[in-house]
Amino acid sequence: RVPLIAFLVAQLPRRSKIPYYLCLTEDNRWTVVAHQDVVEIATVTIDRDSLAALEALEPPLDLAHKLGQYYPGNDSTAAVVEAMPLIPYQEATAPEVTAQGDRLNQVLQALETHPLNQWGQPGPLVKRHNLRSQLRQRLRDRQASYKEHQTHHWREFSNLVKVLREFAALDEYNPLPIGQAAAAIRGDNELWLGLVLMSGHLDDLDPQDLAAAAYVLISEPPRPDSWSHYAPPESVLLALAKLIPLRKELIKVQYRHKVTLPVWLEDETLEVIGLIEQWVLGVSWEALCENTSFDEGDLVRMLRRTADLLSQIPHVPGLPVGLCKNARRALDLMRRFPIDADL
C-alpha cells in the first residue's frame, strides 16, 4: 500500500505501443510494472561508481516479461540498492482538495469561537430551534385553517341573508313577518316552511289533511318500492299544487346564491300521505301496518315527525287562528299508541 522506491532500468517491448518497465526496487527485487503503477518520477543525483554499477546491471534471463512478476536480486544489485537515495513519499494533493481543507478548518475555528457557544452545546439548541420552527408552522396552519373555516361560515350566512331578503323575510337584518315565522320553526328549511304556512294555502284544510300536508313538507321521498293502499286526499293534492310555483322560485333563488337546503315537496311522497290522513281519522295501528310496505319503525318515524311539525305551528307568530286550531286538533288525534310515547 506504500509505494516503493525503485530504479527504472529498462523498457520491455510489447505488442501495445505502451511498454512495461523493468524495475529494481529498494527491497532488492526485480519486478515488471505498467505505466499506471508509477506514481511519481523523481530526479536524483547519485555518485559515479553507483551510476556505473547501475549501468552494468544485467536483467535476469529467467524473469518473464509479465506484469507483476518478481525475481530476487543478487550481490551486484544489492550494491546498487545501497546507493539508492531514500526519498520520502508524499502523496500529491489536488489544489481544490487543499482549498476545501483550508475552508473546513476556517469553519471549525469559527464554530469554536462563535458567541452561541456561551449558551451550551449547539446540538440541544438546534433541536429547540427546529421545534420552535415546527410550532410556528403549525400555528400558521391552524390560523389559516381557522380563517378559511370562519370565512366559509360567514359566506354561508351572507348567502342565507340574501335569500331571506329576496322573499321579504328580512329588512336589512330586522325580521319581517315571514322571517319571524321561519325563526319560530325547526326543520331542514325553515324559510320554506314559513313561506308555506304564511301563504294561506293550508288555512282551509281539515286536521287530517293538514297533517298529511305537513308530512310532505318535511320528508324526503320514500324508497321506490314503497306503497300504500290509502289514496292521497284530493284536498291536500290541490293545496300543495298551488305551492309548486313558490317552490320553484325558492329553489331558483337558493341556487343563484349557492344555498343548498332541501325544499321538500316530492311526487313520490304524495303517494303515501294517505297513511297520515288515516291515522288522524282513527284507523287502528294493525290496519295501518297491513295496508303499507313500510315497517312499523318507519311508520312511527313518519308519524312522529309529522306530529313534531304540527306541535310547532300554534307557536308561529302571524298565523291564522283557524290554522293553529286545526294543527292542535290534528296533534290531539295523533296522540295514540305507539305515537304518543314522546309527544
Side-chain angles (χ1 to χ4, degrees):
R1 296 177 64 87
V2 179
L4 293 173
I5 301 174
F7 284 123
L8 300 183
V9 178
Q11 294 186 15
L12 303 178
R14 53 192 295 251
R15 293 181 181 179
S16 174
K17 293 182 180 180
I18 303 176
Y20 286 157
Y21 301 99
L22 177 62
C23 301
L24 178 62
T25 64
E26 61 178 312
D27 56 356
N28 194 21
R29 289 195 302 176
W30 295 95
T31 184
V32 178
V33 300
H35 71 282
Q36 62 264 29
D37 296 324
V38 180
V39 296
E40 185 179 350
I41 297 178
T43 301
V44 296
T45 302
I46 59 176
D47 59 82
R48 184 175 298 177
D49 295 339
S50 298
L51 180 59
L54 177 63
E55 293 177 349
L57 286 177
E58 292 292 337
L61 299 177
D62 297 338
L63 179 63
H65 294 178
K66 293 183 179 180
L67 190 64
Q69 292 296 311
Y70 289 95
Y71 193 86
N74 51 28
D75 294 339
S76 299
T77 59
V80 175
V81 169
E82 289 180 359
M84 185 179 295
L86 298 178
I87 304 173
Y89 173 73
Q90 294 181 352
E91 186 176 359
T93 304
E96 58 270 18
V97 176
T98 303
Q100 182 64 24
D102 295 340
R103 182 182 177 187
L104 178 60
N105 292 331
Q106 293 174 3
V107 172
L108 292 175
Q109 185 178 4
L111 289 175
E112 291 177 357
T113 59
H114 198 279
L116 189 61
N117 289 330
Q118 65 180 320
W119 301 102
Q121 293 296 326
L125 294 177
V126 172
K127 290 183 180 179
R128 287 197 291 268
H129 172 73
N130 293 336
L131 178 59
R132 183 184 182 190
S133 300
Q134 294 174 6
L135 292 175
R136 282 185 172 180
Q137 184 61 43
R138 290 173 59 185
L139 178 60
R140 286 193 292 268
D141 294 343
R142 291 287 181 88
Q143 289 175 339
S145 176
Y146 175 75
K147 184 177 181 181
E148 181 180 358
H149 184 72
Q150 191 178 36
T151 303
H152 172 73
H153 285 288
W154 177 253
R155 190 183 303 115
E156 285 188 343
F157 173 76
S158 300
N159 293 338
L160 285 173
V161 169
K162 294 175 183 177
V163 174
L164 291 170
R165 287 173 179 170
E166 288 207 27
F167 284 93
L170 283 181
D171 180 14
E172 288 301 321
Y173 293 100
N174 299 316
L176 297 174
I178 294 179
Q180 295 173 1
I185 305 174
R186 302 184 311 272
D188 294 335
N189 191 333
E190 290 83 359
L191 177 59
W192 167 237
L193 297 177
L195 289 171
V196 171
L197 294 177
M198 298 291 288
S199 67
H201 298 313
L202 306 183
D203 294 350
D204 298 329
L205 293 179
D206 294 332
Q208 68 273 12
D209 296 333
L210 179 60
Y215 174 72
V216 179
L217 300 175
I218 59 173
S219 299
E220 60 186 29
R223 295 189 298 268
D225 58 346
S226 302
W227 52 267
S228 169
H229 288 162
Y230 299 117
E234 289 295 330
S235 58
V236 177
L237 297 179
L238 293 175
L240 295 178
K242 299 177 183 179
L243 297 173
I244 294 178
L246 179 62
R247 179 175 184 261
K248 291 181 178 180
E249 181 65 19
L250 178 57
I251 293 175
K252 182 171 65 176
V253 172
Q254 288 188 172
Y255 179 79
R256 185 167 66 250
H257 294 294
K258 299 180 181 180
V259 174
T260 56
L261 293 177
V263 185
W264 300 124
L265 184 58
E266 307 296 336
D267 293 338
E268 295 82 357
T269 311
L270 293 173
E271 300 299 325
V272 297
I273 60 175
L275 294 169
I276 309 297
E277 178 197 32
Q278 292 300 315
W279 179 254
V280 177
L281 290 176
V283 70
S284 67
W285 179 251
E286 292 75 12
L288 192 71
C289 294
E290 291 175 357
N291 286 276
T292 181
S293 61
F294 289 105
D295 58 33
E296 295 186 1
D298 291 335
L299 284 175
V300 170
R301 283 189 291 271
M302 291 170 55
L303 295 171
R304 286 182 177 175
R305 291 194 63 185
T306 304
D308 180 67
L309 178 58
L310 292 174
S311 66
Q312 298 180 57
I313 292 178
H315 304 286
V316 177
L319 294 183
V321 176
L323 179 60
C324 296
K325 182 178 180 181
N326 288 335
R328 291 192 184 94
R329 178 57 179 163
L331 183 62
D332 292 338
L333 294 173
M334 295 186 71
R335 291 178 182 272
R336 294 184 289 127
F337 182 83
I339 308 306
D340 60 349
D342 295 335
L343 298 180

